[in-house]
Amino acid sequence: MHGEYKTPGGKLVVVDFDIVDGRFKNMVISGDFFLYPEEELPVLTNALEGVDVELDDESFSERIRMDLHPDTELMGTSPEGIVIAVRRALDGYES
Amino acid sequence: MSYPNDPTPEQQADWDNRFRSVNWTLLPSPPLAPRAQNAMDEVLLEEMAAGRRGPHIRFWNWQSKAVIIGRFQSVKNEVYEDAAAAAGITISRRMTGGGAMLVEPEGSITWTIAAPDAMVKGMSFAESYQFFDSWALNALRELGVEAWYVPLNDITSTGGKIGGAAQARKHGIALHHTTCAYSMAPGVLTSILRIGKEKLSDKGVTSAEKRVGPLRQQTDLDRDVIINHMIECFRNQYGLVNDNFRSEEMARLGELVAEKYDTPEWVYALP
């Protein structure tokens, strides 16, 4: 599944994933955002891996927020922006 | 004349002091293969971190056409790979975030500026982006290009978007590179780069091509003349001594291209 969301005035975030047994699998998060340090990308990507797709948006973004190191700078998108892309993918929104 | 988002006079004075706080060197601009250009940034960042290389500026020249994608972009989401291959365009992944850019040997003006991150101490990331490009904007304005900064990382103008910047922060070094479109053949951008409607959703335009305003549409000056003017502007304001790459740096460049930038593991790190 594929979803995209561009934060107004910010950057594009793209999510691609499968759903296996009702859970996110093979999550890939990409886009033209900035992330410091760059080594945090797997943290971002793993935050939703294996999570129940039936949870609500707030639960998804909370997972991402909790996993990111407090000193990590994510610029141009946000946990909430990533979740909008995820929600669009789940809803089959064409982007 | 003032433009949107210009620094206040106090802010400009602070920026000037920061730029003047180090000794700058200008490195040469040999045409390199696209992936070698991207690797060169990392080589020089490593050398700076090891204390063997100081703050520097270098302008990039290209041996061939390329799509340079951002560190976190997916190849298939950004590039029509078949069209790129047919046009002899190399796909190269850079070490910094941000968006894809299409470059041709004479079609863009790209440079890197790198300094210890102490130079931007106390600044937000957003301010540091504008700081590192401020001298370039002033140089372009002196040539009659009405350009200004759009946070986070865009340079725009009365004629459309000119370029964008990206920054790496690593090992106590801030490395900032910027690309400005100089000239562009119509149709090329949209036949190579996959630019969906979501990306343009907040831009108020319907195509990426309409958004871009290459410098050549705004000045008759040759690319080299613009680059030389930018260099002299920087030199006059902040000092700049010409330098060369060291043989160890060139050797390391070959290694890093082979072990990282030329590998599918890196280029397709996000497939």
Side-chain angles (χ1 to χ4, degrees):
Chain A
M1 313 193 88
H2 176 92
E4 302 186 358
Y5 175 66
K6 183 172 191 301
T7 300
K11 301 291 162 192
L12 184 75
V13 66
V14 182
V15 298
D16 292 277
F17 57 85
D18 299 319
I19 298 175
V20 177
D21 297 333
R23 296 180 182 276
F24 294 112
K25 285 284 178 230
N26 306 318
M27 178 70 72
V28 176
I29 297 176
S30 64
D32 61 353
F33 53 83
F34 294 88
L35 179 68
Y36 300 97
E38 64 172 83
E39 291 79 9
E40 285 284 294
L41 184 67
V43 174
L44 210 57
T45 301
N46 290 333
L48 291 178
E49 191 73 19
V51 168
D52 183 347
V53 301
E54 297 295 330
L55 293 180
D56 63 9
D57 289 2
E58 179 51 35
S59 305
F60 293 155
S61 47
E62 185 62 21
R63 295 273 183 151
I64 300 171
R65 262 199 308 273
M66 298 262 294
D67 282 9
L68 282 180
H69 190 273
D71 291 337
T72 300
E73 288 264 359
L74 177 60
M75 297 198 309
T77 189
S78 60
E80 291 73 20
I82 294 167
V83 172
I84 292 173
V86 169
R87 179 57 60 193
R88 285 180 171 185
L90 291 172
D91 291 349
Y93 177 99
E94 289 283 325
S95 59
Chain B
M1 174 109 194
S2 71
Y3 294 87
N5 307 315
D6 270 1
T8 63
E10 295 75 24
Q11 201 176 12
Q12 183 65 58
D14 171 54
W15 289 1
D16 289 341
N17 284 333
R18 290 173 187 256
F19 274 118
R20 290 191 185 110
S21 67
V22 301
N23 296 317
W24 292 97
T25 55
L26 175 69
L27 289 169
S29 305
L32 297 177
R35 291 173 180 173
Q37 278 296 10
N38 290 124
M40 183 62 95
D41 272 347
E42 186 167 341
V43 168
L44 295 173
L45 193 151
E46 286 173 354
E47 290 298 301
M48 286 183 79
R52 293 187 291 261
R53 162 70 59 197
H56 62 269
I57 295 180
R58 69 180 186 96
F59 282 82
W60 302 22
N61 279 313
W62 309 91
Q63 283 175 359
S64 59
K65 292 187 262 190
V67 172
I68 311 295
I69 60 172
R71 171 68 184 85
F72 308 114
Q73 290 188 300
S74 137
V75 175
K76 71 170 162 30
N77 280 334
E78 298 302 324
V79 190
Y80 296 110
E81 288 186 74
D82 291 347
I89 293 172
T90 308
I91 299 171
S92 181
R93 185 180 297 278
R94 62 175 185 265
M95 65 188 296
T96 58
M101 61 199 214
L102 176 65
V103 293
E104 299 183 33
E106 297 295 320
S108 69
I109 296 178
T110 302
W111 66 91
T112 299
I113 179 165
D117 62 10
M119 182 172 289
V120 290
K121 193 164 186 273
M123 279 187 189
S124 65
F125 274 96
E127 183 182 356
S128 75
Y129 270 74
Q130 191 172 356
F131 162 76
F132 275 123
D133 280 332
S134 55
W135 60 278
L137 278 187
N138 292 334
L140 290 175
R141 288 175 186 174
E142 286 182 14
L143 299 177
V145 178
E146 299 197 51
W148 64 93
Y149 219 72
V150 181
L152 175 71
N153 65 325
D154 282 350
I155 297 173
T156 197
S157 73
T158 47
K161 175 174 166 172
I162 294 177
Q167 221 179 84
R169 298 286 185 95
K170 237 178 185 169
H171 313 310
I173 307 298
L175 181 146
H176 180 102
H177 47 206
T178 306
T179 285
C180 292
Y182 175 68
S183 67
M184 195 177 290
V188 174
L189 190 71
T190 47
S191 68
I192 302 296
L193 295 185
R194 195 187 285 273
I195 299 167
K197 62 181 187 211
E198 181 61 20
K199 188 172 281 182
L200 297 170
S201 59
D202 63 342
K203 301 295 186 192
V205 293
T206 51
S207 91
E209 214 143 87
K210 284 185 199 154
R211 239 189 105 202
V212 178
L215 290 167
R216 195 67 183 77
Q217 291 174 6
Q218 309 184 49
T219 171
D220 291 334
L221 297 171
D222 284 346
R223 179 176 173 275
D224 286 351
V225 173
I226 296 174
I227 291 173
N228 286 334
H229 180 75
M230 292 173 70
I231 290 169
E232 290 319 308
C233 277
F234 192 97
R235 197 188 302 276
N236 291 336
Q237 272 192 291
Y238 305 131
L240 193 58
V241 174
N242 293 7
D243 196 6
N244 281 305
F245 297 114
R246 294 159 43 246
S247 56
E248 294 86 348
E249 289 169 336
M250 295 309 291
R252 178 63 188 140
L253 178 67
E255 279 175 19
L256 193 61
V257 169
E259 73 192 31
K260 178 173 176 180
Y261 284 84
D262 233 1
T263 65
E265 290 77 16
W266 173 252
V267 176
Y268 291 90
L270 290 147

